[in-house]
Amino acid sequence: MKGQRTLRIGILGCGRIGQVHAHSIQRISQATLVAVADASADAAKACARRFGVEVRDTAGILAAKDIDAVVIATSTPTHFDMIHAAAAEGKAIFCEKPIDLSSERVRTCIDAIERAGVPFMTAFNQRFDPRQRVKDGESGDVETVSITSRDPAPPPAAYIKGSGGIFRDMMIHDLDMARFVLGEEPVEVFAVGSNLIDEAIREAGDVDTAAVILTTASGRICQITNSRRTTYGYDKRLEVHGSKGMLRVSNVLENLVESAKITGFQSALSQPFFLERFEAAYLAEMKHFVEAVSTGSTPIPNAQDGLRAQLIADAATLSWQEGRAVAIPK
């Protein structure tokens, strides 16, 4: 595929995130969307109509000679088999997080990817938000990091039951971001969690409100808070404090209109959810994948990045369950 002008892509999974990726692909001149597949025939047909492409079954896309890369946007339990099948067919792979809910199974996927020698990218889209100034060290040597993530409303209880829990499902993006901006790997995590919002989440064995403290070997600290509910839109913020100052990534509002009255200043709500907030980031991550595969370079974040975030999420889950700090495995 190196040097190829147009990367031909098939999408596995036509739900909300699969359609986001389809929309991104159709805005990239160096890529073309060839076909889509979904376990629901109706979902596949609707997606295919929207984007003007073929419907094929999963096996057909994986074996297709006219498809170079696949986007795996199906439910997490299906990722393991699809990754192995795509690697065996020599397809480049773009996979939604998490790769799998089991870190050992993620390691097995990595072995299959490395044996096949295919490009692989873990879809941590938030790395592609305009945060490079944070990564470039403008705030100096990092000392503390604070990350806030609050969703507008809880997901259905049926989703919670198969999600792997808030640390593996929701916070995993923040755990990857912490690795990205801290500049060194966290070595220990302490996590707490509560049920303050939705009794159905408690009944599903999870929490709806959580926080962690990550520490690195040199003593850098990252605090992360997650909540399944806000009253003011999607709340996603990052603050990095270092030896030269501070950098902050704030919420994106629905509009830039601000009202000033005797009672004070008033601005718009935050954008409603992640699809709107990270639209540009979704496009940027897909552009990176297409360029990397087409030029023979390595897509980042890769499978090892997916594994590291998963190991931290596993350790955070154990910390919450046992009420103690947990060393993060290597």
Side-chain angles (χ1 to χ4, degrees):
M1 287 175 281
K2 186 175 181 179
Q4 180 175 300
R5 189 181 67 83
T6 301
L7 187 70
R8 302 167 297 178
I9 303 174
I11 290 181
L12 307 176
C14 295
R16 180 171 58 180
I17 198 64
Q19 293 186 56
V20 168
H21 294 316
H23 182 52
S24 294
I25 291 165
Q26 292 204 327
R27 289 187 286 170
I28 300 172
S29 60
Q30 295 82 17
T32 184
L33 181 59
V34 176
V36 299
D38 194 278
S40 164
D42 289 342
K45 290 176 183 176
C47 184
R49 283 196 302 270
R50 177 183 174 188
F51 296 102
V53 298
E54 295 180 27
V55 173
R56 301 182 189 176
D57 61 22
T58 296
I61 286 179
L62 291 170
K65 301 301 182 184
D66 62 340
I67 292 177
D68 310 302
V70 293
V71 171
I72 299 176
T74 51
S75 60
T76 299
T78 67
H79 291 181
F80 182 88
D81 290 338
M82 289 186 179
I83 288 169
H84 279 76
E89 293 289 350
K91 298 285 192 290
I93 304 167
F94 177 104
C95 184
E96 271 300 323
K97 65 80 196 168
I99 296 172
D100 190 89
L101 293 178
S102 160
S103 295
E104 287 309 308
R105 281 165 61 91
V106 174
R107 294 184 194 276
T108 302
C109 289
I110 291 173
D111 289 341
I113 293 161
E114 291 179 346
R115 284 196 306 271
V118 295
F120 184 97
M121 182 170 171
T122 304
F124 285 125
N125 66 289
Q126 293 177 24
R127 284 203 191 189
F128 295 85
D129 199 40
R131 302 181 183 197
Q132 194 59 42
R133 289 171 62 184
V134 175
K135 182 63 175 175
D136 285 346
E138 189 172 330
S139 58
D141 295 330
V142 174
E143 296 168 2
T144 60
V145 174
S146 179
I147 302 173
T148 299
S149 295
R150 299 185 181 115
D151 286 353
Y159 173 86
I160 294 291
K161 291 177 181 178
S163 71
I166 195 169
F167 301 103
R168 297 186 182 95
D169 170 55
M170 181 178 176
M171 193 179 287
I172 196 165
H173 276 292
D174 302 322
L175 299 174
D176 178 71
M177 183 57 63
R179 295 182 59 240
F180 184 58
V181 299
L182 280 168
E184 56 181 293
E185 292 290 341
V187 297
E188 186 178 77
V189 59
F190 181 74
V192 293
S194 300
N195 293 95
L196 304 174
I197 298 167
D198 191 341
E199 184 61 28
I201 293 178
R202 183 198 301 272
E203 293 172 358
D206 196 15
V207 293
D208 51 45
T209 307
V212 305
I213 298 290
L214 301 170
T215 55
T216 70
S218 71
R220 296 176 180 180
I221 298 171
C222 175
Q223 58 181 0
I224 302 171
T225 60
N226 277 188
S227 174
R228 292 289 193 182
R229 180 193 62 196
T230 70
T231 58
Y232 48 84
Y234 184 49
D235 190 357
K236 189 72 180 182
R237 290 172 284 139
L238 168 70
E239 182 177 290
V240 179
H241 177 258
S243 58
K244 296 180 181 178
M246 182 187 72
L247 285 169
R248 178 184 294 145
V249 180
S250 301
N251 286 323
V252 178
L253 305 184
E254 288 187 322
N255 61 65
L256 300 178
V257 177
E258 188 174 48
S259 171
K261 299 179 180 179
I262 193 170
T263 53
F265 286 77
Q266 183 175 2
S267 56
L269 296 172
S270 298
Q271 288 187 326
F273 208 8
F274 67 92
L275 294 176
E276 296 83 6
R277 169 63 180 83
F278 290 110
E279 181 181 2
Y282 282 119
L283 177 59
E285 73 168 348
M286 189 58 68
K287 283 182 176 178
H288 171 74
F289 175 72
V290 170
E291 181 178 359
V293 174
S294 298
T295 61
S297 56
T298 302
I300 298 292
N302 58 26
Q304 288 291 342
D305 292 308
L307 174 62
R308 291 308 310 165
Q310 183 74 18
L311 289 170
I312 302 171
D314 290 346
T317 303
L318 181 62
S319 174
W320 159 61
Q321 291 170 339
E322 299 189 354
R324 62 180 179 88
V326 172
I328 299 167
K330 298 181 179 179

